[in-house]
Amino acid sequence: MREGYNNLHIVTVDGLDRIYEDGGILYEDGVITHVGDRAYIEEKAGELKIELKDGKGRYLFPGLINTHTHLYQDIMKGMGSDLSLEDWFPKSMAPAGAVLRERHVAAGVKLGLAEAIRCGVTTVADYMQLQPVKGLGKLELDIAKDMGVRMVYGRGYRDIGKKELVEKAEDVFADVTALKEEFEGDGMYRVWLAPAAGWGASLELLKATREYADRNATPIMMHMFETGTDDKISRERNGKSAIRHYEDSGLLGSDLLAVHSVAIGEEEISTYARNHVSVSYNPIANMYLASGVAPVGEMLKAGITVAIGTDGAGSNNDNDMLEAMKFGALLQKTFHKDPLAMTAGGMLRMATIEGARALGMDRLVGSIEVGKKADFFLFDPAKSVKSCPVHDIVATLIYSGDHKAVDTVVINGKTVMEEGRFLLADEQEILNTAQLMAEDLVRCIQENQ
């Protein structure tokens, strides 16, 4: 199917950072075929007999890429307030995880994806860290398919911790294999390995993870150095620093996405760079749990790919990438006392093409270029008092971005939201169910205590 828009201000985020102030776009079967000035697009549309939609002067951006979240936590907003990471997980997340069931996960995932779409996100990397019952991966990927969102599904697991949360490696890998066979193939859905963290995975499990990853071309995402706990426990348990333990286990590689990476220094950064590890920066969760500030500038100087994520609503209270971009930039500026420590343009790249690169999808998405997937959103500042007026549209998106100004979202060439209206989901039903399941989850926790 051939479709297209004209009368758009297009921010491509391509290799040359091209901007078409009066441009258009054509796409066919989910792939961008033409992008450029309005006259050029109208000429090509005429040749191809495509009836163009009027972009109404709106701004077109590549779809945002959230490289780390926990979607099921969207029904857990506000449940773990004012705690450190070390207290937050055992007091808030673990009790919920023990009683988490399909109905809770479904409600959280639907709400989280609806929130993602509202914020212009077209690709979500979801780390489903808890697996108290079987079948949650298929449940989540089916929901993503129904809602039209591109997803990297991280199948979480651990072999250290409460018995309700521990799994055997062979069972985990069998589940990953089955999910890959069912969902992978067209680029819309990918399945990754997601060991919990160094303190939740034995040396044997890390080695087994690397072996499976290499044998089955399956990338890995893992919480790393969110606080100093990684290093403290590794020295006690393994007699060496965490970064040495990770490298010796074979875990590190170009297919590893290290989530957080806050409590790191020169040794960790140089080891990441040497092993071509990518990083997902999660500023709001790091502030919410008082974990610290990730040394983003130092990582970028070392040549490390750094992307951005919201983290789950349990440690953020939303899945708003627009908010994460603003806080992510401001946190770096404040910490370094340097207004150029993170710029609006740099943050936009982190949320688009660098996010795609961190997920190994930069040939597929992350910028508006011919041959890439038609993943984009239209932004209309006139629909939001926060986003209006505009002097510099990139600065507006990063520092004044509002989900109310996200007008239309297209993923893989399919319009999933048009002029603020969901086309593939009933938003009100999602909201109503989320509230009911949030209350139900609390009752289940209380009954289990």
Side-chain angles (χ1 to χ4, degrees):
M1 183 176 179
R2 294 171 174 170
E3 295 184 80
Y5 283 89
N6 67 355
N7 190 17
L8 292 169
H9 183 124
I10 301 176
V11 181
T12 66
V13 199
D14 65 5
L16 299 175
D17 280 331
R18 281 175 283 207
I19 291 177
Y20 299 99
E21 294 185 357
D22 187 9
I25 186 172
L26 302 178
Y27 47 98
E28 181 177 358
D29 296 331
V31 177
I32 298 171
T33 57
H34 302 81
V35 60
D37 292 326
R38 182 173 182 171
Y40 167 71
I41 293 299
E42 289 180 345
E43 177 187 352
K44 290 299 178 183
E47 293 174 4
L48 297 169
K49 294 181 172 51
I50 299 174
E51 185 175 346
L52 294 170
K53 297 179 183 179
D54 184 2
K56 302 177 183 178
R58 291 169 292 187
Y59 298 87
L60 184 151
F61 288 93
L64 302 180
I65 298 173
N66 186 349
T67 56
H68 183 68
T69 188
H70 305 282
L71 290 172
Y72 78 94
Q73 290 181 7
D74 244 51
I75 62 167
M76 300 170 68
K77 296 173 181 177
M79 284 181 63
S81 299
D82 306 322
L83 298 169
S84 68
L85 173 67
E86 288 75 14
D87 288 331
W88 169 81
F89 190 84
K91 291 182 179 180
S92 179
M93 295 302 106
V99 299
L100 199 66
R101 296 297 179 264
E102 293 93 333
R103 63 187 184 277
H104 305 125
V105 173
V109 169
K110 289 177 183 179
L111 182 61
L113 291 180
E115 190 173 5
I117 292 169
R118 279 270 174 223
C119 296
V121 172
T122 56
T123 300
V124 174
D126 187 58
Y127 186 126
M128 183 55 201
Q129 66 194 128
L130 304 174
Q131 303 280 339
V133 294
K134 294 181 179 180
L136 296 181
K138 176 173 170 52
L139 172 68
E140 180 166 332
L141 286 161
D142 279 337
I143 291 171
K145 182 179 288 189
D146 289 342
M147 295 182 69
V149 178
R150 194 180 302 277
M151 177 176 283
V152 172
Y153 176 79
R155 205 298 190 178
Y157 54 94
R158 61 173 58 206
D159 65 349
I160 297 174
K162 288 190 174 184
K163 63 180 182 179
E164 299 96 332
L165 306 178
V166 167
E167 295 180 271
K168 294 180 180 179
E170 56 266 32
D171 294 337
V172 171
F173 299 147
D175 190 26
V176 171
T177 298
L179 291 171
K180 286 169 68 68
E181 290 175 351
E182 180 172 356
F183 290 96
E184 290 191 342
D186 64 357
M188 278 293 287
Y189 308 101
R190 297 184 178 183
V191 181
W192 284 30
L193 299 163
W199 39 264
S202 66
L203 174 62
E204 292 72 25
L205 186 61
L206 293 183
K207 287 183 174 180
T209 294
R210 171 48 63 196
E211 290 171 4
Y212 182 95
D214 289 346
R215 189 169 63 252
N216 297 280
T218 305
I220 306 164
M221 60 178 74
M222 189 169 99
H223 298 101
M224 297 177 68
F225 300 104
E226 188 170 359
T227 65
T229 298
D230 287 46
D231 206 57
K232 179 178 181 294
I233 290 182
S234 181
R235 290 182 185 279
E236 294 172 353
R237 186 186 296 166
N238 308 305
K240 64 180 76 171
S241 69
I243 195 64
R244 294 276 69 78
H245 173 60
Y246 294 148
E247 190 166 38
D248 291 348
S249 73
L251 177 71
L252 307 184
S254 61
D255 59 352
L256 173 66
L257 180 63
V259 179
H260 296 299
S261 298
V262 172
I264 61 175
E266 291 183 6
E267 182 183 8
E268 289 81 12
I269 290 172
S270 64
T271 304
Y272 275 10
R274 184 171 65 250
N275 289 278
H276 307 289
V277 172
S278 296
V279 170
S280 175
Y281 168 45
N282 290 242
I284 296 180
N286 299 155
M287 288 189 283
Y288 185 72
L289 297 173
S291 300
V293 182
V296 171
E298 290 82 350
M299 288 189 277
L300 293 174
K301 288 175 184 176
I304 295 169
T305 295
V306 182
I308 189 165
T310 59
D311 209 344
S315 60
N316 179 318
N317 290 294
D318 60 45
N319 261 294
D320 188 340
M321 271 286 283
L322 299 172
E323 183 181 79
M325 292 191 297
K326 178 174 182 175
F327 277 80
L330 298 186
L331 180 60
Q332 295 298 317
K333 293 174 187 287
T334 300
F335 182 76
H336 293 286
K337 296 182 174 62
D338 178 3
L340 297 178
M342 178 55 65
T343 65
M347 180 51 69
L348 177 60
R349 294 189 66 83
M350 193 178 290
T352 53
I353 189 62
E354 297 305 319
R357 187 167 289 116
L359 297 179
M361 301 171 72
D362 48 308
R363 294 185 179 182
L364 196 69
V365 295
S367 60
I368 303 301
E369 299 181 73
V370 171
K372 288 196 174 184
K373 294 294 186 178
D375 284 22
F376 61 84
F377 67 96
L378 304 184
F379 189 78
D380 186 354
K383 292 187 175 180
S384 165
V385 294
K386 181 180 180 181
S387 301
C388 183
V390 175
H391 293 287
D392 175 335
I393 187 55
V394 174
T396 294
L397 181 71
I398 302 303
Y399 301 127
S400 306
D402 180 5
H403 69 85
K404 293 179 182 178
V406 176
D407 178 88
T408 295
V409 178
V410 175
I411 305 175
N412 206 40
K414 180 181 292 186
T415 303
V416 300
M417 186 175 79
E418 187 170 39
E419 297 187 349
R421 184 172 61 88
F422 281 84
L423 302 185
L424 303 179
D426 185 330
E427 186 177 21
Q428 193 58 57
E429 182 180 349
I430 289 173
L431 293 171
N432 293 342
T433 302
Q435 182 62 48
L436 291 174
M437 288 301 101
E439 294 167 3
D440 181 68
L441 180 63
V442 171
R443 283 194 296 271
C444 291
I445 293 171
Q446 293 171 341
E447 290 171 1
N448 194 50
Q449 289 177 339

